[in-house]
Amino acid sequence: HTSTTKHRHAMAPCPTIFAAVAVALLLTSTTITTTAAANICNTVSPTGTAQFAVLTDLHYDPFYGTPQEVRECSGPCGPSVSKDHTWGYYGYDAPLSLLQSALAFTNSCAPAFVLVLGDMVRHDSFGQPTTTAVLASVVANLSATFRVGVLPVVGNNDVYPDYNMDVSDVTQTLAQLAQSWAPLLQSDEERSTVARGGFLQREV
């Protein structure tokens, strides 16, 4: 069993599951060879176990390469430096090319399921419409890439304003979250718990 909440639940025993963590690195000139990729993916799992992938902090920025891009360099980033780096650059949020490459590579490892630990959306969103649109785009890419279950977790950048959620009235925020995650949700129960509490639980 797995749950997107951090609370402890009483659950029936499940088979041991080993995690294969997929890390999206901002590479500018490094090439991963086919042999190296195979070595990363093809780890031997003991009988009765499975591997799953963990993705976190994807931070997709659809404005990469434009004046609205996110630049969080500790030093000078340089003018329009991202335009010369198709796969991303240190201090910038991820362009679509990097997002899709990371998802495709993760899928090539044939995980049993995928756990996405939030922060799919770029930093410094312009507002709720932008946050919703970027989240929907990442979800669409996840749904199109994987043929196994994908379990999302809400991150601080996946709501607007980031790091904020009005607990006195979360109805609208959670309803929007449930709508954005809809392609990844597999049952009415999941849709209901996301819309009411921002979490889901699924047996895998």
Side-chain angles (χ1 to χ4, degrees):
H1 299 222
T2 187
S3 171
T4 60
T5 61
K6 294 183 179 179
H7 303 292
R8 187 179 300 274
H9 296 278
M11 301 180 184
C14 298
T16 302
I17 301 174
F18 287 85
V21 180
V23 181
L25 299 176
L26 301 182
L27 302 178
T28 57
S29 61
T30 303
T31 300
I32 299 178
T33 65
T34 302
T35 302
N39 289 338
I40 293 172
C41 293
N42 297 335
T43 55
V44 177
S45 299
T47 304
T49 68
Q51 297 180 89
F52 67 96
V54 178
L55 296 169
T56 186
D57 293 85
L58 296 171
H59 287 301
Y60 167 50
D61 184 7
F63 301 99
Y64 182 84
T66 76
Q68 288 78 39
E69 67 190 0
V70 173
R71 296 201 288 176
E72 297 190 345
C73 302
S74 57
C77 293
S80 302
V81 67
S82 65
K83 293 180 181 179
D84 300 322
H85 297 85
T86 303
W87 300 102
Y89 194 77
Y90 177 79
Y92 291 72
D93 279 349
L96 182 62
S97 56
L98 180 61
L99 171 67
Q100 292 180 334
S101 177
L103 298 187
F105 176 77
T106 304
N107 187 53
S108 73
C109 293
F113 65 91
V114 181
L115 184 61
V116 185
L117 300 182
D119 279 1
M120 304 184 205
V121 179
R122 59 168 271 162
H123 296 89
D124 302 325
S125 181
F126 303 135
Q128 184 60 55
T130 302
T131 298
T132 299
V134 176
L135 183 59
S137 181
V138 176
V139 168
N141 277 276
L142 288 165
S143 181
T145 302
F146 298 105
R147 293 294 178 264
V148 295
V150 177
L151 293 92
V153 177
V154 63
N156 60 276
N157 289 115
D158 300 333
V159 295
Y160 185 85
D162 63 349
Y163 291 98
N164 288 274
M165 186 177 290
D166 185 357
V167 295
S168 65
D169 184 12
V170 297
T171 305
Q172 183 174 355
T173 300
L174 294 182
Q176 183 61 64
L177 186 66
Q179 182 177 347
S180 297
W181 284 0
L184 306 178
L185 304 179
Q186 296 184 351
S187 68
D188 289 339
E189 180 182 1
E190 290 184 0
R191 287 183 280 273
S192 175
T193 58
V194 170
R196 291 186 294 109
F199 72 95
L200 65 95
Q201 181 172 294
R202 182 183 304 169
E203 183 175 342
V204 296

